Amino acid sequence: MMRKIMFLLPLLVACGPDANAPESVAGRFVRAQLSGDTAGMIALATRPDQAAAAQAPNTADKTLYPEASDQPLHDLYGARVKIAGASAQTEGDRASVAVTARVPDVDLSGVLMEALFGGGSDEAAMTRKVKAQFDKAPLKDEAHTLELVREDGQWRVDTDWAEKAQAKRAEDQRQAREAALAALQRDYRTGREEDLVRARLALKKLVATYPNDAGWKEEAAAVDALMPVLAKFTADVGRAGLYQGDYQADVVVTNGSAQPIKSFTLKLTFLNGDQPVGESEYETYSPGWFSSRVLDPGGSATVKPSGTPPEGWTGQALRAQVSATELDLD
């Protein structure tokens, strides 16, 4: 008799349930999910999903990563979970599995509230109350549908973690591109008003980034056309210094070009000796209501910039240059 038992044992093991069957894998995944078993879920997922489990936005998924403080609740809940059955529809290396889990028919929030207010501050007492609620609760059927993929002969759960991580990366890249474009556009707009050299640099980047955008090419050509005009300007500083805490200066601006000028911007650099102090100031001069221009070809104008100087400026020196201009084309 002993020989017969030993002979039959390998046969019984071989005929047991297949742990790699899609129904078995899906059932274990559902049990791990309902028990708050993060490691168990990840171990049964596809390789791309395993890699993505630790990436945003999955790290904020409370189903995948329950709060540590909630784990005792998951343990008590999971202890009563039973996998009642599973059926799979398989096609090649893919399978769709319907899993029926029997779970405690309880209101989790109600159980927690009752434990918190009925069990006092004793954690052990609260745990006993929650366990009692779970133990006496009837079980109800809960349906789960999972998609599985066969990888190297092993069935694994195809979650949406990899897709979510990929979508998050794509969204981050899109936002980064939009932020970079907004920064370039901002540099161009402020440069167009204050400093054509800065505007030109921003335009070069915009044209390189969007080579098929005719609008940026036209803007670049317009700025390029202004650069020779800008080079013909001079700005000579006469009186300059500190007066009751503010800077004041007299600057003679001369238009050495053959173009009538509608407006120009003066860039003021504050110096202690030869060292610049703080940020440069920009002041734009436009015509009054009675005129369409501020400077005729070959004309000069004296402007008197004033304002709050950068901290640390001693009033020693001030450098001025025309950094932007707009032609009067009317």
Side-chain angles (χ1 to χ4, degrees):
M1 176 65 70
M2 202 59 173
R3 269 186 264 170
K4 289 182 180 179
I5 292 175
M6 293 179 67
F7 176 77
L8 288 173
L9 185 58
L11 182 61
L12 290 173
V13 172
C15 294
D18 182 1
N20 186 45
E23 297 90 343
S24 177
V25 173
R28 297 203 306 277
F29 185 92
V30 170
R31 177 182 289 281
Q33 187 179 54
L34 295 175
S35 302
D37 180 5
T38 299
M41 284 186 280
I42 293 175
L44 294 167
T46 64
R47 289 192 185 90
D49 287 331
Q50 288 178 352
Q55 300 171 8
N58 300 309
T59 48
D61 185 347
K62 298 306 180 186
T63 301
L64 178 57
Y65 293 99
E67 297 286 351
S69 58
D70 293 339
Q71 194 56 52
L73 178 65
H74 285 290
D75 291 341
L76 293 172
Y77 186 86
R80 291 217 61 202
V81 169
K82 300 182 184 301
I83 303 301
S87 61
Q89 292 184 344
T90 305
E91 185 174 343
D93 288 334
R94 299 197 65 87
S96 181
V97 183
V99 177
T100 301
R102 294 190 58 74
V103 300
D105 188 7
V106 294
D107 176 11
L108 293 179
S109 60
V111 168
L112 283 176
M113 292 297 289
E114 183 178 342
L116 286 170
F117 293 103
S121 58
D122 184 354
E123 186 175 338
M126 286 195 295
T127 300
R128 287 194 297 272
K129 270 189 151 310
V130 172
K131 185 177 186 304
Q133 289 285 339
F134 283 148
D135 287 346
K136 72 181 183 182
L139 297 179
K140 65 176 182 179
D141 287 349
E142 189 174 89
H144 297 260
T145 301
L146 286 76
E147 301 300 319
L148 276 72
V149 176
R150 185 155 43 198
E151 291 181 343
D152 299 330
Q154 299 292 317
W155 285 103
R156 296 183 178 276
V157 179
D158 186 9
T159 73
D160 59 356
W161 305 335
E163 287 82 357
K164 283 182 177 179
Q166 184 178 13
K168 180 66 167 60
R169 288 193 298 273
E171 177 62 16
D172 289 346
Q173 291 169 359
R174 184 191 66 80
Q175 291 184 6
R177 287 193 300 270
E178 288 187 355
L181 172 60
L184 284 175
Q185 290 175 325
R186 188 167 54 250
D187 284 349
Y188 167 66
R189 286 194 300 270
T190 57
R192 187 66 178 82
E193 296 173 359
E194 296 179 347
D195 191 332
L196 290 182
V197 172
R198 193 165 76 236
R200 199 180 191 191
L201 288 174
L203 279 169
K204 284 184 177 180
K205 293 178 181 178
L206 285 165
V207 170
T209 305
Y210 303 97
N212 297 323
D213 190 325
W216 291 124
K217 291 180 180 179
E218 291 175 3
E219 292 284 345
V223 169
D224 285 344
L226 286 174
M227 299 307 291
V229 177
L230 195 66
K232 296 289 186 179
F233 273 91
T234 60
D236 299 317
V237 179
R239 180 184 61 91
L242 283 169
Y243 301 90
Q244 297 182 344
D246 287 346
Y247 73 84
Q248 293 184 13
D250 292 339
V251 182
V252 178
V253 177
T254 301
N255 173 18
S257 77
Q259 299 291 337
I261 302 302
K262 184 175 183 180
S263 67
F264 65 87
T265 298
L266 203 61
K267 178 181 178 180
L268 303 172
T269 303
F270 300 86
L271 304 169
N272 285 341
D274 294 331
Q275 296 300 314
V277 179
E279 298 290 329
S280 298
E281 292 284 332
Y282 295 89
E283 293 204 18
T284 298
Y285 296 89
S286 301
W289 63 270
F290 53 84
S291 174
S292 65
R293 64 186 65 170
V294 291
L295 280 175
D296 289 316
S300 296
T302 300
V303 295
K304 299 178 179 293
S306 63
T308 303
E311 185 177 353
W313 186 56
T314 60
Q316 290 184 25
L318 186 67
R319 184 169 64 223
Q321 69 179 104
V322 175
S323 56
T325 188
E326 184 177 354
L327 303 182
D328 181 13
L329 302 177
D330 296 332

